Amino acid sequence: MALRIGVPQETAPGEKRVATVPEVVEKLVKLGFSVSVQSGAGDAAHCSDDSYRAAGAEIVASAAELLGGSDIVFKVRPPSAAEVAMLREGAMLIGFVWPAQNPDTMQALQARKATVLAIDCLPRQLSRAQKMDALTSQAGVSGYRAVIEAANAFGRFFNGQITAAGKIPPAKVFVAGAGVAGLAAIGTAANLGAIVRANDTRAEVADQVVSLGGEFVKVDYEEEGSGGGGYAKVMSEGFQAAQREMYAKQAREVDIIITTALIPGKPAPKLITAEMVQSMKPGSVIVDMAGEQGGNCELTVPGEAVVRHGVTIVGYTDLVSRLAKQSSTLYANNLLRLTEELCKAKDGNVNVNFEDDAIRGLTVIKDGELTWPAPPLKLPAAPPKPAAAAAAPKKAHGHGPGEPMSAKSLAIVFAVGAVLFGLVGAYAPASFLSHFTVFVLACFIGYMVVWNVTPSLHTPLMSVTNAISSIIAIGALVQVAPPLDAAGAADRPNTLILVCAVVALVLTAINMFGGFAVTRRMLAMFRK
């Protein structure tokens, strides 16, 4: 029997997102599920009840009716105590749960014998888990929205302009933290024409910052900041002191600061002090994306935009909800991909397979039993380094792979070659010898021509194949239209040779022109 998926209306203050959208409902129905949506659940995300009905969902009037009659519940925010009480016993809950921050909710869900898949516990190290990574999709939306909020509060253009009314300098933006949200903010601010600088404790993101049009500002202190699961780690006191000094310098120079620093399960680190705020130019803006966990700025008021020392400090905790339609669509697609992994048979039933590392990491409660935290992932072991003595095994002729041939071996090869050429010259007819000489010279010239082609807008392999195709095309053309002799007559080939030459021309033309077409499409991918 097919299971029923229920989508209630979010009850958290200011939350406008919905756990699924009509476009995804159609795909869930094709997987064999029936879908119920609480009336008005998608109104704030511009998804009407009628659009859900048209997609095949049933509209349910109340949360109690929906939660009590659903086998699987899709949610965005962690459930409230009232929602857990209405949840049907033994049901499955999928959504953000944050088990470390919500122990009471976890206990209540265990009491309901629920199976809980926390999308925030997804092992992000797994490449195949990217399609289910709701943290990444929502962080990208919040990074984009942070720049929009900064532009709204800022009193100038982002891009520099020279007009008849005067010169307008470009805005200077500093992004603290170059994770997913930070990179989204960097790209958005750079596209708006601002001068963008960024910093992160993870040195490996420097290239990503530069590729998006920003400048990476390095802390004058050597320490690796990569943590597990794509997050940064807590840095040493020495690093933090050097970092504060760098932040103080940037605060005096830039117009806008966007902070994104968060470590799961810990309060947001204080990066921007009150003294730094006071040193900023009047009219500057700080967008604190960590407001929900206390904020990265000492003067942030979570959920509000305040002005301190002439600086607007935006501490909104609902940046993702301010783009509710976009964020809901992305989140709904993440849950759809997860559902596809749970329902590989497409029969409307789910299988929580603990052999799957992604599913095991997500599952925090199974049938009322606590399964969080998941055991560490078993990463493949690094291949052993070969011993120096056994690095190059010796061959029978006394040389290993990659080593030059010894003088004795070279002499033997030349002696064998000379004997073979002597036999050919002594016993082969004169016509064969002339053809054989042309063949050897053609091989030598062809090799030099092909392997000396310089790749240009091609991969080296494509350049080589095009060079070989060119030689084949020339040979085929000679067979199709042979040169005239001294008397002005052409020695026409027989029908079989002519057909082979024409086929060769067609195939080499497809290879050559197809190669250029592929190159054009590859280049088009990098154009805006």
Side-chain angles (χ1 to χ4, degrees):
M1 181 179 177
L3 301 179
R4 177 170 294 276
I5 295 174
V7 182
Q9 185 172 11
E10 297 296 322
T11 58
E15 182 57 71
K16 299 178 182 178
R17 289 174 291 175
V18 63
T20 198
V21 295
E23 297 85 354
V24 172
V25 167
E26 296 178 356
K27 298 175 183 177
L28 292 171
V29 171
K30 289 180 180 178
L31 286 175
F33 298 96
S34 57
V35 182
S36 298
V37 180
Q38 184 181 348
S39 180
D43 287 350
H46 306 291
C47 298
S48 65
D49 290 351
D50 290 339
S51 64
Y52 282 114
R53 286 195 188 95
E58 177 189 356
I59 302 301
V60 178
S62 66
E65 182 183 352
L66 182 134
L67 294 172
S70 298
D71 303 296
I72 304 171
V73 175
F74 283 180
K75 270 190 62 59
V76 179
R77 295 273 187 166
S80 64
E83 288 174 322
V84 174
M86 290 185 283
L87 195 66
R88 202 192 76 184
E89 187 168 319
M92 177 181 287
L93 173 69
I94 302 177
F96 286 105
V97 179
W98 304 107
Q101 291 92 327
N102 298 293
D104 294 340
T105 302
M106 292 286 288
Q107 290 180 3
L109 288 167
Q110 283 183 263
R112 302 295 295 171
K113 300 187 182 304
T115 296
V116 181
L117 274 64
I119 201 74
D120 48 277
C121 293
L122 179 74
R124 302 169 78 187
Q125 306 95 312
L126 300 174
S127 59
R128 58 179 292 271
Q130 292 177 1
K131 61 185 179 182
M132 301 177 275
D133 190 358
L135 284 171
T136 294
S137 67
Q138 303 303 288
V141 175
S142 63
Y144 174 88
R145 184 68 191 196
V147 177
I148 302 304
E149 295 294 340
N152 180 57
F154 190 50
R156 292 207 323 263
F157 296 145
F158 264 44
N159 62 323
Q161 296 184 19
I162 298 177
T163 68
K167 180 180 178 181
I168 303 171
K172 295 180 180 178
V173 178
F174 177 71
V175 180
V180 176
L183 292 172
I186 292 166
T188 306
N191 288 336
L192 288 175
I195 297 173
V196 185
R197 304 169 185 171
N199 168 260
D200 196 279
T201 56
R202 297 159 292 187
E204 65 267 19
V205 304
D207 291 338
Q208 300 176 39
V209 171
V210 174
S211 69
L212 290 171
E215 173 192 352
F216 188 78
V217 182
K218 195 174 183 298
V219 177
D220 191 15
Y221 193 97
E222 293 297 329
E223 184 176 351
E224 175 55 43
S226 295
Y231 295 100
K233 70 175 184 180
V234 179
M235 306 301 287
S236 67
E237 186 58 40
F239 182 92
Q240 292 179 32
Q243 188 182 53
R244 284 192 293 269
E245 183 178 344
M246 183 269 291
Y247 284 157
K249 179 182 177 183
Q250 294 299 321
R252 292 191 296 269
E253 296 179 0
V254 302
D255 304 299
I256 296 169
I257 295 178
I258 298 175
T259 65
T260 69
L262 274 177
I263 297 175
K266 298 181 181 293
K270 300 300 180 186
L271 305 179
I272 309 299
T273 64
E275 291 78 12
M276 294 180 195
V277 175
Q278 196 168 3
S279 71
M280 296 181 73
K281 292 173 282 190
S284 298
V285 178
I286 297 175
V287 179
D288 193 340
M289 296 180 62
E292 194 166 5
Q293 295 190 31
N296 297 135
C297 177
E298 289 182 349
L299 302 181
T300 295
V301 178
E304 298 181 23
V306 298
V307 179
R308 300 287 186 268
H309 307 295
V311 177
T312 302
I313 304 173
V314 179
Y316 297 148
T317 58
D318 61 344
L319 289 173
V320 182
S321 282
R322 289 172 180 253
L323 287 171
K325 176 64 174 179
Q326 181 66 76
S327 54
S328 296
T329 301
L330 294 175
Y331 183 70
N333 282 319
N334 293 139
L335 295 192
L336 170 66
R337 301 308 172 200
L338 171 57
T339 307
E340 289 175 342
E341 292 296 317
L342 294 170
C343 179
K344 292 185 179 294
K346 299 182 180 181
D347 58 354
N349 291 286
V350 296
N351 175 30
V352 182
N353 179 18
F354 271 24
E355 297 299 319
D356 187 322
D357 288 336
I359 302 301
R360 176 62 187 91
L362 285 167
T363 308
V364 296
I365 299 174
K366 186 174 183 182
D367 299 326
E369 294 185 9
L370 184 68
T371 59
W372 177 84
L377 291 176
K378 295 179 181 179
L379 299 176
K385 294 183 179 179
K394 296 293 182 181
K395 289 189 175 180
H397 294 298
H399 65 278
E403 294 181 8
M405 189 180 294
S406 65
K408 181 179 178 181
S409 300
L410 190 63
I412 293 174
V413 170
F414 272 103
V416 171
V419 171
L420 291 175
F421 275 107
L423 292 174
V424 169
Y427 297 100
S431 59
F432 173 82
L433 192 60
S434 63
H435 288 305
F436 183 73
T437 303
V438 172
F439 173 74
V440 172
L441 292 176
C443 289
F444 176 76
I445 295 172
Y447 175 85
M448 297 304 295
V449 169
V450 168
W451 291 106
N452 282 292
V453 171
T454 302
S456 178
L457 301 180
H458 281 66
T459 63
L461 177 61
M462 195 177 296
S463 296
V464 170
T465 58
N466 274 358
I468 295 173
S469 298
S470 301
I471 295 173
I472 295 173
I474 293 173
L477 287 172
V478 170
Q479 294 300 322
V480 171
L484 301 177
D485 57 18
D491 184 13
R492 307 300 298 181
N494 61 40
T495 304
L496 179 60
I497 294 177
L498 186 62
V499 169
C500 290
V502 171
V503 171
L505 273 175
V506 172
L507 294 178
T508 53
I510 293 173
N511 181 62
M512 294 169 66
F513 289 105
F516 283 107
V518 170
T519 300
R520 288 177 61 86
R521 292 186 63 179
M522 290 171 63
L523 292 175
M525 294 171 60
F526 298 94
R527 296 194 186 104
K528 290 187 178 180

